[in-house]
Amino acid sequence: MTTNDVLRNLTEYNIWANWRVLKSFDRIEGDLPDYAQLMFSHVLNAQAIWIARITGTKSPVTVLQRHTLHELHQLHEQTSAKLAEIYDQADDAELNRTIEYTNTQGKAYSTKVQDILTHAINHATYHRGQVARELRLAGHEPINSDYVTYVRIRYGQDLEI
């Protein structure tokens, strides 16, 4: 498997894992645990911000903007697949293109597109773990969003969805 295959798998995994978190939120009666909602909002906000940086557009969200469940579904639809699309449409020159941007604290950086995509997925995985912890602390069973679970399901070794 090449590095490109790994990144393609990770972008597809990210769509699946974010969808799983949303499905677990859908099953919660009443209000979502506050910090879980904030952290998953942050996951999707960060995706939107990175997409805006890559595409040279203005982000529609801020880094810690909180969203309703309905808005989370919409933002997932707008951003998770877009990261995979950016990857799928990129050639080597695009993946190695350096993006100049200013972070949320006003510090200037430059980062390659492939590193941004890898970061966005890794960042989401980290915060999905925080969401799972918060759900458990609030008495809810968190969903399994592990990469290996995704691979098992993808290749028919596990029928859990």
Side-chain angles (χ1 to χ4, degrees):
M1 182 179 290
T2 68
T3 301
N4 289 348
D5 294 332
V6 171
L7 193 50
R8 174 169 286 110
N9 284 348
L10 289 174
T11 61
E12 292 170 4
Y13 155 71
N14 188 62
I15 296 168
W16 173 86
N18 287 343
W19 174 81
R20 300 253 310 171
V21 170
L22 285 170
K23 289 297 153 192
S24 73
F25 281 3
D26 288 342
R27 289 192 290 270
I28 294 174
E29 294 182 18
D31 293 336
L32 295 174
D34 186 58
Y35 192 72
Q37 183 179 2
L38 177 62
M39 281 300 95
F40 197 64
S41 292
H42 173 65
V43 165
L44 299 179
N45 291 339
Q47 290 182 173
I49 291 166
W50 284 115
I51 289 165
R53 288 173 178 162
I54 291 169
T55 60
T57 59
K58 184 177 180 341
S59 174
V61 296
T62 59
V63 72
L64 289 175
Q65 184 175 339
R66 182 184 301 273
H67 302 285
T68 66
L69 182 56
H70 176 73
E71 291 167 338
L72 288 171
H73 276 278
Q74 290 178 321
L75 196 54
H76 164 64
E77 291 297 322
Q78 295 164 3
T79 64
S80 298
K82 184 66 176 176
L83 287 175
E85 178 186 312
I86 287 170
Y87 174 76
D88 285 339
Q89 294 178 354
D91 58 13
D92 285 341
E94 174 61 11
L95 290 173
N96 286 298
R97 180 171 63 99
T98 299
I99 303 294
E100 305 288 334
Y101 61 94
T102 303
N103 73 2
T104 57
Q105 289 81 37
K107 188 169 180 184
Y109 289 97
S110 59
T111 307
K112 289 181 181 181
V113 169
Q114 66 186 350
D115 294 326
I116 290 170
L117 293 171
T118 303
H119 167 74
I121 294 160
N122 191 51
H123 176 263
T125 301
Y126 172 79
H127 287 300
R128 282 191 299 265
Q130 291 180 313
V131 168
R133 178 182 180 275
E134 291 302 312
L135 291 177
R136 187 172 304 284
L137 288 173
H140 304 286
E141 185 62 31
I143 198 75
N144 179 337
S145 64
D146 289 345
Y147 178 76
V148 73
T149 302
Y150 164 75
V151 170
R152 289 174 186 153
I153 291 168
R154 181 176 180 184
Y155 294 107
Q157 296 176 6
D158 192 340
L159 299 179
E160 176 194 349
I161 294 183

